[in-house]
Amino acid sequence: QALTIGLVWDITPTAAQYSPGDQLPATFDFTLAQAFITSLRVGTTDEVASALSIDTGLFKPNQFGVFLANHDMNRVRSQLAGNIDKAKMGAVLLLTAPGVPFIYYGEEIGMLGKKPDESIRTPMQWSADKNGGFTTGTPWESVNPDYPDMNVSSELADPNSLLTLDRTLIQLRKQHAALRVGDFHLDKSDNEAVF
């Protein structure tokens, strides 16, 4: 019961060509990831609506990888100028969109990080303990300086944290098949900030 997903860093029409059969069931959708971030930055949904309309026409139903950032991209909260509310809205978009969602480690707590790659691959911030609770040894990279506040332990205890929201959305997705395998219909709102 394994899943193979292709990391095809290209526009959606090209990426979709790699997964029409059963050998590679899905590819990551980089166009949609950028559309999510752009929409979160500017507060309009046109980019997301356009990307999802293309996806539903090119991929088999719900057979594309949905994500906000990965190991080669600036972290989500860094792309959103540190705005935790926009990061939360990103989680809502990610976990209610069609497709197979993926969360790069640390995004569920709002870790920061910008290129070079070493700065987006820093140790996971588990607690406020030394080295973010990641190790008692010396980590390969220094832990982000915000680890005393932004860590799994403190966010588990906060009902309003990004981690709590992610966990709630994951449970909703598990409980409601429509969020996993339902049909996608795009409705246009008069308010460009509503999706």
Side-chain angles (χ1 to χ4, degrees):
Q1 294 190 348
L3 169 70
T4 302
I5 184 162
L7 197 156
V8 181
W9 197 318
D10 208 328
I11 59 174
T12 301
T14 302
Q17 291 177 13
Y18 285 85
S19 61
D22 294 331
Q23 294 81 17
L24 185 61
T27 58
F28 285 108
D29 189 346
F30 284 86
T31 303
L32 180 58
Q34 186 56 54
F36 282 146
I37 297 298
T38 300
S39 291
L40 291 165
R41 276 190 196 137
V42 300
T44 63
T45 61
D46 291 341
E47 296 264 343
V48 173
S50 175
L52 282 173
S53 293
I54 292 168
D55 288 350
T56 55
L58 292 175
F59 289 102
K60 289 181 181 178
N62 298 307
Q63 272 192 248
F64 50 95
V66 184
F67 68 105
L68 298 172
N70 74 8
H71 60 281
D72 288 321
M73 303 163 74
N74 291 341
R75 288 192 170 274
V76 172
R77 217 172 110 233
S78 292
Q79 292 186 61
L80 300 173
N83 189 312
I84 195 70
D85 291 329
K86 288 185 178 185
K88 287 179 179 180
M89 186 54 61
V92 172
L93 286 170
L94 173 69
L95 293 167
T96 61
V100 181
F102 290 82
I103 301 173
Y104 179 53
Y105 88 93
E107 296 299 342
E108 70 275 35
I109 62 169
M111 283 177 59
L112 295 167
K114 293 183 177 180
K115 290 280 193 172
D117 284 354
E118 294 80 9
S119 297
I120 51 181
R121 300 173 184 175
T122 57
M124 182 65 180
Q125 298 165 201
W126 292 105
S127 68
D129 296 337
K130 183 180 178 186
N131 295 321
F134 181 78
T135 183
T136 56
T138 303
W140 69 88
E141 290 291 328
S142 297
V143 180
N144 285 330
D146 66 351
Y147 80 87
D149 299 314
M150 302 295 291
N151 62 68
V152 172
S153 183
S154 66
E155 291 198 26
L156 281 173
D158 180 359
N160 296 312
S161 71
L162 176 57
L163 179 58
T164 299
L165 175 62
D166 276 329
R167 292 167 57 97
T168 300
L169 290 166
I170 290 168
Q171 286 304 313
L172 284 171
R173 192 173 179 94
K174 286 171 66 174
Q175 292 168 4
H176 299 282
L179 290 172
R180 294 187 315 276
V181 295
D183 292 337
F184 175 74
H185 300 282
L186 185 62
D187 290 324
K188 188 71 174 159
S189 171
D190 291 337
N191 184 336
E192 62 181 11
V194 173
F195 182 70

